[in-house]
Amino acid sequence: MGDAAKKILFVNSEIFPYLPESDISKIGRFLPQGIQERKKEIRSFMPRYGCINERKNQLHEVIRLSGMNIIINDVDRPLVIKVASISAARMQVYFIDNEDYFHRKHIYHDADGKFFEDNGERAVFFARGVLETVKKLRWAPDIVHCHGWISQVLPLYLKKIYRDDPIFSDCKVILSLYDDIATDEKFSADFKEKIKFGDISGEDLADMESPDGINLAKLAVRYSDGIIMGSGNIAPELEEHCSKSGLPVLPFDAGALESGAYIDIYNDFYDKF
């Protein structure tokens, strides 16, 4: 794709300063800025978790983008889109919001440390919310770069449901894998059924017979075009799966992440697609 790769859509699980500083939230903050500075257009999305202070961070609802409903498990869920600006980076962040899924004060676990029973549904809502919002923006990305487990349903939807939409027909999916909080967790037993949408079949979801974090990541790999190892301690089973996938894999580089050189490395990786 070379120089034609002008538009990069970032689908993030975490972005600093909206969530505490971590390896993944720092990438969510500084990678889009760096790619924008390298003359590409960017859009960046994350969930509007309940712990995010809307007043402090100056989030406001985008009425023209809100108002859709997403049906999950035969229940209509209103999709609310909010936006905030990171003025130092001259970029906006779009937030996918819904009262049922994202207004709780804890992010992925309850006060007792238990993985939320509906985390799978939250990932489904987030993926579909991002894709529907980008359609409303009428902004056709060349690359969709997914970060974190809550983004990992999106590659399936993009390749199976939205592939004929002119907004997405030419885009490629890059998947960054991390030492993710969901790797050792199990989702609800009916997660596979809740992912089903449109003409997605059981065969498309073969990776999800056992609905856990490793298999969700494998599902994302199956529908991606390139992989980036974002952590140095990816689960060995998942690392082996990626090496056998036949996809281009960018290895983890701790020094580049520390120095910021990873932005140029990622930018060059995008241009290969």
Side-chain angles (χ1 to χ4, degrees):
M1 194 177 287
D3 291 339
K6 299 294 186 185
K7 297 179 180 178
I8 314 295
L9 172 63
F10 294 96
V11 186
N12 306 278
S13 60
E14 303 174 27
I15 299 175
F16 177 79
Y18 306 110
L19 290 184
E21 192 169 335
S22 67
D23 289 344
I24 190 168
S25 72
K26 286 191 293 183
I27 290 173
R29 162 64 180 84
F30 293 106
L31 177 61
Q33 177 183 352
I35 295 301
Q36 181 170 254
E37 290 169 352
R38 284 151 182 80
K39 309 305 181 186
K40 290 179 169 65
E41 289 185 38
I42 63 103
R43 295 288 187 276
S44 198
F45 282 77
M46 72 173 287
R48 207 293 285 179
Y49 304 107
C51 59
I52 296 172
N53 186 316
E54 292 200 358
R55 178 172 293 182
K56 175 185 175 183
N57 292 293
Q58 297 185 323
L59 273 67
H60 61 272
E61 185 176 351
V62 186
I63 301 298
R64 69 184 179 88
L65 297 176
S66 300
M68 292 180 282
N69 275 21
I70 292 176
I71 300 173
I72 301 175
N73 205 29
D74 297 326
V75 177
D76 274 5
R77 309 280 187 183
L79 172 62
V80 176
I81 309 300
K82 295 177 179 173
V83 70
S85 296
I86 300 178
S87 56
R90 290 188 298 172
M91 70 182 212
Q92 291 184 318
V93 176
Y94 292 90
F95 295 84
I96 299 296
D97 198 6
N98 171 269
E99 184 173 355
D100 295 329
Y101 289 136
F102 295 118
H103 281 208
R104 59 200 73 170
K105 291 301 180 185
H106 298 277
I107 300 176
Y108 304 132
H109 300 81
D110 65 20
D112 297 321
K114 183 182 177 184
F115 202 55
F116 287 126
E117 180 73 14
D118 66 349
N119 270 336
E121 287 186 42
R122 297 169 88 205
V124 168
F125 186 90
F126 180 55
R128 289 177 58 187
V130 169
L131 292 169
E132 289 296 334
T133 303
V134 173
K135 278 180 62 177
K136 267 199 169 184
L137 286 168
R138 302 190 64 79
W139 187 82
D142 297 298
I143 300 285
V144 178
H145 191 169
C146 296
H147 300 260
W149 73 265
I150 204 166
S151 74
Q152 289 176 351
V153 179
L154 189 146
L156 165 70
Y157 287 160
L158 188 56
K159 294 300 181 73
K160 296 293 295 185
I161 303 298
Y162 290 84
R163 61 186 175 187
D164 294 327
D165 190 297
I167 295 291
F168 298 109
S169 57
D170 294 325
C171 77
K172 303 295 184 182
V173 177
I174 305 298
L175 177 68
S176 275
L177 294 173
Y178 298 90
D179 178 21
D180 211 299
I181 201 164
T183 298
D184 299 321
E185 300 284 3
K186 291 190 178 299
F187 295 95
S188 63
D190 60 353
F191 184 28
K192 178 180 174 181
E193 292 303 312
K194 288 178 177 176
I195 294 175
K196 286 183 179 178
F197 168 54
D199 62 357
I200 290 172
S201 67
E203 184 179 338
D204 298 324
L205 294 167
D207 299 290
M208 293 302 295
E209 287 302 328
S210 176
D212 58 32
I214 290 285
N215 287 331
L216 177 60
K218 287 181 179 179
L219 178 73
V221 168
R222 184 178 178 186
Y223 294 99
S224 294
D225 298 288
I227 308 296
I228 295 176
M229 294 298 178
S231 300
N233 48 351
I234 305 295
E237 178 185 351
L238 186 54
E239 198 160 10
E240 182 181 4
H241 181 79
C242 292
S243 69
K244 292 179 177 178
S245 68
L247 298 174
V249 177
L250 192 63
F252 177 67
D253 186 336
L257 283 170
E258 182 68 26
S259 69
Y262 77 96
I263 295 173
D264 281 319
I265 295 171
Y266 285 19
N267 190 50
D268 291 343
F269 193 63
Y270 298 153
D271 286 344
K272 294 178 180 178
F273 294 90

